[in-house]
Amino acid sequence: MAIRAVTINAPGTISWVSWTGVTCSTGPLPAGTYTMAAMRIRATGTTASGITGWV
């Protein structure tokens, strides 16, 4: 199932695999909700915590 947004409770970076199979990552983000088009969130390269994926 595809992820359309994420909420993070603690600041950090997020690494994910897009719908097209491309690995993407953000710079440092504050806690909040962000839109994205992801198939999965990667543990490698992700420093944010308290992540909730919204479908």
Side-chain angles (χ1 to χ4, degrees), residues 6 31 34 39-40 52:
V6 293
Y34 302 92
M39 290 305 293
R40 69 183 181 98
T52 302

Side-chain angles (χ1 to χ4, degrees), residues 2-4 7-8 13 15-16 20-21 26 28 36 38 40 43 49-53 55:
I3 300 165
R4 296 178 182 258
T7 298
I8 58 174
T13 61
S15 178
W16 73 95
T20 58
T26 67
M36 63 171 41
R40 69 183 181 98
S49 62
I51 300 171
T52 302
V55 295

Side-chain angles (χ1 to χ4, degrees), residues 3 6 13-27 29 34-46:
I3 300 165
V6 293
T13 61
I14 300 174
S15 178
W16 73 95
V17 177
S18 73
W19 290 350
T20 58
V22 176
T23 300
C24 306
S25 62
T26 67
L29 297 171
Y34 302 92
T35 59
M36 63 171 41
M39 290 305 293
R40 69 183 181 98
I41 304 297
R42 301 177 67 232
T44 303
T46 296

